[in-house]
Amino acid sequence: MSDTELTRANVLFESAGQGYILLGNTPKNRRLIASHCEEFNEFLQEQFGAEIHVSVGTSQFMSLQVEKDNTFDSYSRIFKDIDREINRSELRQFDARQIMELNQQGKHAGRECVVCHAVASLNPETNKCKLCEKLESFSKNIQQDDFFVVNADEEGLPVGPGAFLSVTDKETIQKGAVSGRIYSKNQLNTGFKQQTYLWVGDYSDLTNNEFSKYADRDWTKEDNQSAVGIKRLAALRIDVDDLYAGFLAGFANQGDGMYTTISRYASLSRRLASFFNVHLNAFAEGCHATVIYSGGDDAFIIGAWDDILKLLARLRGYFADWTDQKMTFSAGIYMYQATMPINIVARRTNQLLQEAKLAGKHRVALFDSSMIFDVDEFINDVYYDKLVKIRQFFKKESNRGKSFAYKLLSLLRSRNEEDRISFARLAYFLSRLEDDAEDTEAFQQFKESMLGWYDNALEIKKVETALSLYIYEIRED
């Protein structure tokens, strides 16, 4: 922004993979857009080869199109033009010179990086490339440090052409011993000559990145007993539904879009960003979880599998209040063992998120693509209702152990709408155990509820999910 002599107020929206900037339509700015895009893509090509590329689209418009009393069509035309430009750019990502450079790189012999599978710049001691080593090291700095500097020091993490990110501290800044662009994180500090305040979702229940501790479940131990609950982690990926459509049509039904203005959309984007960048840390407080990424309109969080479910329920309530029930998000939750590489976890969690979005808005895919629910149905009917009732039942029926729960789950999974014998098996199984129940009335209520749910495919799917979660809670690996 400094080259254009503008401020960050001209950034309308930004997230990990996209953004909108408002610039003056001048020859200088058009040249800057082209040169910076080319320069940054050369940097990406040097660091990542052909895997990452930036595409830019522009749209020229008059001020009347974004002021009050305009029409919705005149406003939306701007974003449609940008989309067309980006689509054209993506079809010709590399020019002839760049393609020749990529082809000349060839395939190097030797081992691959255990993280990104690159074969260049490999450290033989760790079998990791230099970039992955710096990313791994700097991930701890992001969580633990408060001041950062971007300069030409190549010892730092490369973030752009000739730009490297390093850690600094308050004392060094006050001594005037820091050169470059200074940034502070999650603090409203003054007097440190920082470029801007960085708001980062960096909550973690760990003092380091040993995520396997979430699977150890030491916090569940009581009186020297074994840890309770299945020893697994879970990853949560959430993404706001139809954010782009919301930007285009959010105010369209008010006076044919007369309130569709740049300032309103800028305010909307900043409010969404503040939810994920600023307040997510407070929302996650008390959970055994770590925020891997959060910003713009999405987040990626890992932690103890049961606390991830708790966090999903918590975030849903806060997000509904934050957007006045006008916006929703979808989610994917993937359960995995602590030894699984984080890149595979991220990919599979994202696949679940995409499966949830394909099923409709406001959906959550829980552990598997076959278990997709409306987010509110899962939270209200499964997590806060059926799971609670199952816990209460087994608490009263202390003589009903894991075998009873597993047998019940097996009967639920054998349900067949065309063959009523499965219903008879469930009724017989529950009736046979009713006589020696510790609390006959509670057992009868549980049996009637279970038989009532059994006739509805969606309800029995919710019951099966709740019972599976309860088994995960009591299981000991």
Side-chain angles (χ1 to χ4, degrees), residues 362 373-383 458 462:
H362 201 39
F373 300 93
D374 177 271
V375 174
D376 286 341
E377 280 188 342
F378 170 73
I379 293 172
N380 297 328
D381 295 349
V382 178
Y383 190 73
L458 178 58
K462 295 176 184 177

Side-chain angles (χ1 to χ4, degrees), residues 202-458:
D202 64 348
Y203 173 82
S204 181
D205 189 54
L206 299 172
T207 55
N208 50 46
N209 288 335
E210 295 181 23
F211 302 127
S212 59
K213 291 187 178 296
Y214 289 137
D216 293 340
R217 305 188 62 81
D218 289 340
W219 64 90
T220 65
K221 293 180 180 179
E222 294 182 4
D223 301 326
N224 297 321
Q225 298 295 317
S226 300
V228 178
I230 187 172
K231 293 186 176 182
R232 298 288 189 278
L233 290 87
L236 167 66
R237 181 79 187 271
I238 61 176
D239 185 73
V240 176
D241 292 322
D242 293 339
L243 181 61
Y244 180 71
F247 270 87
L248 287 183
F251 308 101
N253 60 349
Q254 301 177 9
D256 190 31
M258 64 179 294
Y259 298 109
T260 305
T261 63
I262 286 290
S263 60
R264 286 176 181 266
Y265 285 107
S267 298
L268 174 61
S269 71
R270 283 165 173 74
R271 185 163 177 81
L272 282 177
S274 66
F275 180 90
F276 290 99
N277 292 350
V278 181
H279 300 288
L280 184 67
N281 290 329
F283 300 154
E285 190 71 35
C287 292
H288 298 93
T290 296
V291 177
I292 302 299
Y293 166 77
S294 178
D297 64 338
D298 62 346
F300 178 49
I301 307 169
I302 66 174
W305 67 269
D306 46 352
D307 275 22
I308 287 294
L309 296 179
K310 179 171 68 176
L311 183 56
L312 172 67
R314 188 182 294 178
L315 289 177
R316 167 54 190 151
Y318 283 125
F319 191 75
D321 293 340
W322 194 257
T323 60
D324 194 27
Q325 310 287 340
K326 298 295 191 299
M327 302 184 77
T328 59
F329 64 70
S330 293
I333 300 178
Y334 179 67
M335 183 184 287
Y336 63 99
Q337 293 184 336
T339 55
M340 182 173 287
I342 191 66
N343 60 328
I344 297 177
V345 172
R347 183 167 65 249
R348 293 185 179 178
T349 308
N350 187 60
Q351 288 172 351
L352 287 176
L353 172 63
Q354 299 310 315
E355 292 282 352
K357 283 184 168 292
L358 287 174
K361 294 183 183 180
H362 201 39
R363 298 290 193 273
V364 55
L366 185 68
F367 307 152
D368 186 85
S369 58
S370 64
M371 303 299 288
I372 296 178
F373 300 93
D374 177 271
V375 174
D376 286 341
E377 280 188 342
F378 170 73
I379 293 172
N380 297 328
D381 295 349
V382 178
Y383 190 73
Y384 284 136
D385 182 45
K386 291 178 173 59
L387 178 57
V388 173
K389 290 178 179 177
I390 289 172
R391 285 196 198 113
Q392 292 173 344
F393 169 76
F394 279 95
K395 185 177 181 180
K396 291 180 179 179
E397 295 293 322
S398 57
N399 62 331
R400 307 298 178 191
K402 297 185 183 67
S403 60
F404 175 80
Y406 278 113
K407 177 62 175 178
L408 186 58
L409 181 62
S410 175
L411 289 170
L412 296 180
R413 288 176 173 172
S414 66
R415 179 182 183 274
N416 189 327
E417 292 188 2
E418 297 179 358
D419 183 7
R420 295 291 292 176
I421 191 66
S422 58
F423 178 87
R425 288 195 188 101
L426 176 65
Y428 173 75
F429 173 71
L430 293 175
S431 299
R432 186 168 57 86
L433 299 175
E434 185 176 354
D435 292 338
D436 60 344
E438 295 182 37
D439 187 331
T440 306
E441 183 177 352
F443 193 100
Q444 185 177 8
Q445 290 177 353
F446 178 79
K447 182 186 74 171
E448 291 175 355
S449 297
M450 193 66 66
L451 295 177
W453 293 326
Y454 203 79
D455 277 333
N456 186 295
L458 178 58

Side-chain angles (χ1 to χ4, degrees), residues 115 128 131-141 209:
V115 179
K128 297 176 183 177
L131 180 60
C132 286
E133 285 189 329
K134 287 185 177 181
L135 286 169
E136 182 179 344
S137 174
F138 206 79
S139 65
K140 300 175 184 178
N141 298 125
N209 288 335

